[in-house]
Amino acid sequence: MSNQRPLTLLGPQPEYHSLRHVIERAGFEGPVALNTSGWETEESDDEALRAAVPVDCVNLNLFARSEQLFTDDKELIETLRARQDELRHLRDVYNDRLEYMLTAARKVIRKQGALIDLTRERESAIEMIRQLDREYLLRTEQIIDRYEEQLNTSARPAVEHHRREIAGLLSGVSAILISGGHVAIILNRLKIFGILEMNPQLPVIAWSGGAMALSAEVIFFHDSPPQGAGNAEVLRAGMGLFGDVLPLPSARTRLKLDDRARVELFARRFDRYKCVVFDPATILIRSGDGWVTEEAPVEQLGIEGCCVEAAL
């Protein structure tokens, strides 16, 4: 993906204030394309979004297209289900291993003893988790690549039909807006229909889950989920439109930011990225090799165990 593409990342948009501001500042004259596939069966319920955007909107209906695609191409959906079964099994094993490693690392980080410096032990415990993450990410991509080689998705007649239609819609728009929602679904639909490859220079504005899907890696995180262990986990590689920021939408409600050990472990584990807290007012605009911000100050998780001003 071209790093020259105009790109804006936003936090959650309950009322679309930041989105409207960004679009007005950009001065788009033509319509914009909507990818609301993360809303799944509700992707067409976009009245509030359309009302907030000061230009015409064209919904690409990627979720509905994929449902039709799976009806028209039985082999595709059956093969993708088999792929998902493999990925789910691998993820279960990964999470079993991850839980023990994270528990041990948190215990080491919380040990405060004056008798001996435990810096080496802390770093070793965290590096073991990083290595597990790397191995899991590699294994997921190997499985995905193997199935893609088998499917050759882009050359399948039903997929080609939808891609031609989508290319026609994108030829007349000023930008692509990618909403939040189910991150894995957003990512999968972007992969299947290839909308980002159709015009590598077309500006993209993405928020919440949409921003996560565009990153180098998709990381699920929630310290107190309704179910599960509450461990941040690698899902799979993202679209790779940027590789220096890890978006954390709604981090102030999803992470225990007052728990210094958990924050330190998260920041150190993913220290190859700036782990940025994405609030509703967060606006990151790519500028050259970095980012500029607007409106509210931007914070990231710091290795000190607390939120610090993000150096973008």
Side-chain angles (χ1 to χ4, degrees):
M1 294 295 178
S2 171
N3 63 0
Q4 299 305 311
R5 179 197 294 273
L7 178 62
T8 302
L9 306 179
L10 309 175
Q13 294 297 297
E15 298 181 351
Y16 303 110
H17 291 320
S18 296
L19 176 63
R20 183 179 184 88
H21 170 75
V22 166
I23 292 176
E24 288 175 343
R25 283 285 301 271
F28 298 135
E29 296 181 358
V32 294
L34 304 181
N35 174 5
T36 55
S37 59
W39 300 349
E40 302 177 68
T41 57
E42 298 179 352
E43 75 172 346
S44 61
D45 296 337
D46 56 9
E47 293 83 1
L49 174 54
R50 289 176 180 271
V53 173
V55 293
D56 291 336
C57 300
V58 178
N59 199 318
L60 301 177
N61 294 311
L62 298 190
F63 186 82
R65 289 179 184 276
S66 64
E67 293 298 288
Q68 183 61 51
L69 182 64
F70 298 151
T71 298
D72 296 339
D73 190 336
K74 297 296 186 182
E75 181 188 19
L76 177 61
I77 185 59
E78 290 172 1
T79 306
L80 289 178
R81 283 173 178 161
R83 185 189 78 174
Q84 191 60 29
D85 287 343
E86 287 194 32
L87 291 174
R88 187 181 298 110
H89 183 69
L90 181 63
R91 183 182 178 189
D92 288 343
V93 174
Y94 163 69
N95 277 312
D96 287 342
R97 299 174 66 193
L98 181 63
E99 184 172 3
Y100 286 105
M101 289 186 181
L102 286 172
T103 299
R106 290 185 189 116
K107 286 182 178 179
V108 174
I109 289 173
R110 288 191 171 104
K111 283 187 180 296
Q112 299 294 330
L115 294 178
I116 187 171
D117 182 0
L118 296 177
T119 301
R120 182 181 300 176
E121 285 72 19
R122 292 190 184 99
E123 179 56 32
S124 175
I126 296 170
E127 179 56 31
M128 290 176 65
I129 301 170
R130 295 192 194 109
Q131 180 61 32
L132 175 63
D133 289 340
R134 289 192 292 266
E135 291 176 359
Y136 174 70
L137 184 64
L138 177 60
R139 287 276 278 144
T140 60
E141 292 309 295
Q142 288 174 338
I143 292 172
I144 290 169
D145 289 346
R146 172 163 51 83
Y147 275 95
E148 178 54 33
E149 184 178 352
Q150 175 184 342
L151 285 169
N152 193 14
T153 305
S154 62
R156 303 181 77 84
V159 176
E160 286 185 320
H161 169 73
H162 285 286
R163 288 192 174 193
R164 285 194 300 270
E165 287 190 349
I166 294 168
L169 295 175
L170 291 180
S171 66
V173 303
S174 301
I176 300 174
L177 311 187
I178 304 178
S179 76
H182 196 300
V183 182
I185 287 178
I186 298 170
L187 182 58
N188 287 334
R189 272 57 184 179
L190 289 173
K191 292 280 189 180
I192 289 172
F193 295 111
I195 68 171
L196 298 179
E197 292 90 337
M198 291 177 183
N199 186 343
Q201 302 304 316
L202 194 62
V204 169
I205 303 172
W207 60 95
S208 203
M212 293 173 66
L214 301 184
S215 62
E217 293 179 50
V218 176
I219 310 298
F220 280 177
F221 63 96
H222 201 313
D223 283 344
S224 303
Q227 57 187 14
N231 294 323
E233 58 175 297
V234 174
L235 177 67
R236 55 175 287 194
M239 295 302 297
L241 262 65
F242 55 91
D244 54 343
V245 168
L246 182 63
L248 303 176
S250 302
R252 298 187 197 280
T253 57
R254 296 173 66 87
L255 295 177
K256 297 177 181 177
L257 297 183
D258 58 345
D259 187 327
R260 298 185 70 90
R262 295 184 77 97
V263 172
E264 177 183 345
L265 177 54
F266 194 113
R268 290 188 182 277
R269 176 183 173 190
F270 300 112
D271 61 1
R272 55 196 176 278
Y273 305 116
K274 299 176 178 68
C275 301
V276 177
V277 175
F278 272 66
D279 297 319
T282 301
I283 300 175
L284 265 60
I285 302 173
R286 183 156 62 189
S287 176
D289 294 329
W291 301 86
V292 296
T293 63
E294 293 190 15
E295 302 292 306
V298 176
E299 293 186 323
Q300 69 183 74
L301 305 191
I303 60 175
E304 306 86 349
C306 59
C307 289
V308 297
E309 185 173 348
L312 301 170

